[in-house]
Amino acid sequence: MRLLKSVAIAWVAMACALTAHANPSPKPAKPASPKKTASNTTTVQGGAPYAGRPDAMAFADDLAARRGLDREWVRQAIGQARLLSQVPRLMLPPPVGTPKNWRVYRSRFIDPVRIRAGVRFWQEHREALERAEAEYGVPVEIIVGIIGVETIYGQQMGNFRVMDALATLSFDFPNAHPRARERREFFQRELEQFLSLANRSNIDPFEPRGSYAGAMGLGQFMPSSWVRYAVDFDGDGRIDLFKSPVDAIGSVANYFKGHNWTTGMPTHYAVQFDTARLQLDTLLAPDILPSFSAASMQAKGVVLDADGARHTGPMALVELQNGGDAPTYVAGTENFYAITRYNWSSYYAMAVIELGREVAAAR
């Protein structure tokens, strides 16, 4: 879904404010009130505005005080946001007992449509991709895989008002989620970052569109990731992750560099098992966190290939379930773990890796 031109303009202005934020003026101008346009009147999707919620207004007052923002502006922004009733349901994990299936998951992302789009993206932005790999040490395949899995190279960047999505998940995150408190606090921090950016750039916070979780642009950056990792990779003096694929390429690479990507390290190795010595429960206990040396894994019944046996860093035994069939296993390195910092899922990480490889092969 294509974003409106005003979204890109808004976020260009917002991103330009990042530089100014490093040396803020002592008396910033009072921001304009959120615009009362068709984008945030009763014609917009969503329930009652949060202005009637004491908890939301208390959060607004606290945010304004801590960030030094205009109190009425923050209250108006949060107060005009609307509950998106479908969003909390999307955050709930599948029912207990629902089998995971790597083959089905893979088929959602590694398909002819994405591969063809990935080949076009690689051809059109080859110079920027190669420059990002040289500068940040992140392979082109990984950058291409991320942007392809996230948005099909900009074709599907989301059409939820970011303000509504973040407010909904800040104040109505489902209590049934096993990590409800932690996730609610996460989205409140993201809402704070989003409003702070909007305030600094004096834009209408109801303009940007994104995913139901509030992620934005070709690489689906959350507001905090935009602040920390977004870069002006095309050198035009501004950051635009909506309309500049080159900025998105550099920003994705910078994100991985910021999450300890190691240049030249493989993401994973093939494994087999010595069933007589296999300590599967012990190997799976750390989940995807690299915790075992190659020697330790082999002592616990993992048979690594030659390259895996020579690996010097910690690894994790990654299990990818296949419904009722036998799971798929790999030995994930610290670079595999770095991909899961983008999305906490071994299935996601493998989809990114395999899409990048498929696109590379199709070229």
Side-chain angles (χ1 to χ4, degrees):
M1 292 173 280
R2 298 181 65 85
L3 295 178
L4 298 176
K5 182 178 180 181
S6 59
V7 179
I9 295 171
W11 273 91
V12 167
M14 178 178 289
C16 290
L18 296 179
T19 303
H21 182 56
N23 296 288
S25 59
K27 294 182 179 180
K30 181 177 179 180
S33 297
K35 298 175 183 176
K36 297 180 179 180
T37 64
S39 67
N40 56 10
T41 64
T42 56
T43 60
V44 76
Q45 292 182 350
Y50 279 99
R53 288 275 296 270
D55 58 335
M57 292 299 93
F59 176 86
D61 291 343
D62 179 65
L63 189 162
R66 286 186 293 101
R67 288 273 181 167
L69 303 179
D70 181 82
R71 177 174 177 270
E72 288 307 311
W73 181 83
V74 176
R75 286 177 68 90
Q76 285 186 45
I78 293 178
Q80 290 178 31
R82 291 177 177 273
L83 168 65
L84 301 176
S85 60
Q86 72 273 39
V87 166
R89 292 195 297 270
L90 295 171
M91 287 290 165
L92 289 173
V96 176
T98 302
K100 296 180 179 180
N101 195 316
W102 159 237
R103 295 191 187 100
V104 172
Y105 185 95
R106 183 187 188 279
S107 69
R108 298 173 186 164
F109 299 104
I110 292 83
D111 62 14
V113 171
R114 266 178 231 262
I115 293 170
R116 286 195 298 268
V119 170
R120 289 194 299 271
F121 185 84
W122 195 324
Q123 290 172 340
E124 291 172 4
H125 305 292
R126 180 180 57 82
E127 185 277 333
L129 287 162
E130 292 176 355
R131 182 161 54 91
E133 178 171 353
E135 184 169 336
Y136 296 105
V138 181
V140 170
E141 290 91 339
I142 297 299
I143 302 170
V144 168
I146 285 285
I147 298 175
V149 166
E150 290 291 344
T151 64
I152 317 183
Y153 308 100
Q155 294 180 37
Q156 297 179 358
M157 291 189 281
N159 200 34
F160 290 87
R161 293 196 312 181
V162 172
M163 189 68 208
D164 291 336
L166 293 177
T168 295
L169 294 170
S170 292
F171 309 120
D172 285 288
F173 194 90
N175 290 325
H177 193 283
R179 297 162 56 208
R181 180 176 179 179
E182 174 188 344
R183 299 304 292 162
R184 187 179 299 113
E185 291 174 351
F186 166 80
F187 284 108
Q188 288 176 355
R189 292 192 297 271
E190 294 299 327
L191 177 58
E192 180 172 333
Q193 291 278 10
F194 179 75
L195 283 174
S196 297
L197 283 168
N199 175 82
R200 290 197 295 272
S201 54
N202 198 25
I203 67 143
D204 181 358
F206 289 92
E207 289 293 336
R209 263 58 171 178
S211 75
Y212 65 82
M216 300 165 288
L218 277 84
Q220 292 291 276
F221 272 30
M222 295 298 290
S224 62
S225 294
W226 191 299
V227 172
R228 295 188 187 104
Y229 305 113
V231 295
D232 171 23
F233 205 56
D234 62 12
D236 67 353
R238 59 192 186 185
I239 300 171
D240 181 1
L241 303 188
F242 286 108
K243 294 295 184 181
S244 172
V246 175
D247 283 358
I249 287 166
S251 298
V252 168
N254 189 42
Y255 182 96
F256 281 119
K257 181 179 179 181
H259 286 80
N260 302 313
W261 183 274
T262 300
T263 303
M265 178 187 290
T267 56
H268 63 285
Y269 300 100
V271 301
Q272 296 182 5
F273 293 132
D274 178 350
T275 55
R277 295 185 297 144
L278 184 59
Q279 301 175 35
L280 190 60
D281 289 344
T282 300
L283 288 162
L284 293 177
D287 196 14
I288 54 179
L289 179 66
S291 305
F292 304 100
S293 67
S296 176
M297 292 188 85
Q298 292 180 112
K300 293 175 174 59
V302 175
V303 179
L304 295 164
D305 62 19
D307 290 335
R310 289 192 294 268
H311 187 79
T312 58
M315 293 183 286
L317 182 65
V318 177
E319 180 184 69
L320 302 167
Q321 298 175 19
N322 289 307
D325 296 333
T328 299
Y329 293 95
V330 299
T333 69
E334 290 170 296
N335 276 355
F336 187 96
Y337 186 73
I339 299 174
T340 67
R341 301 310 84 202
Y342 216 98
N343 183 314
W344 190 284
S345 166
S346 55
Y347 298 79
Y348 174 88
M350 283 300 297
V352 166
I353 293 164
E354 295 204 3
L355 177 59
R357 289 180 174 178
E358 292 287 343
V359 173
R363 293 181 68 241

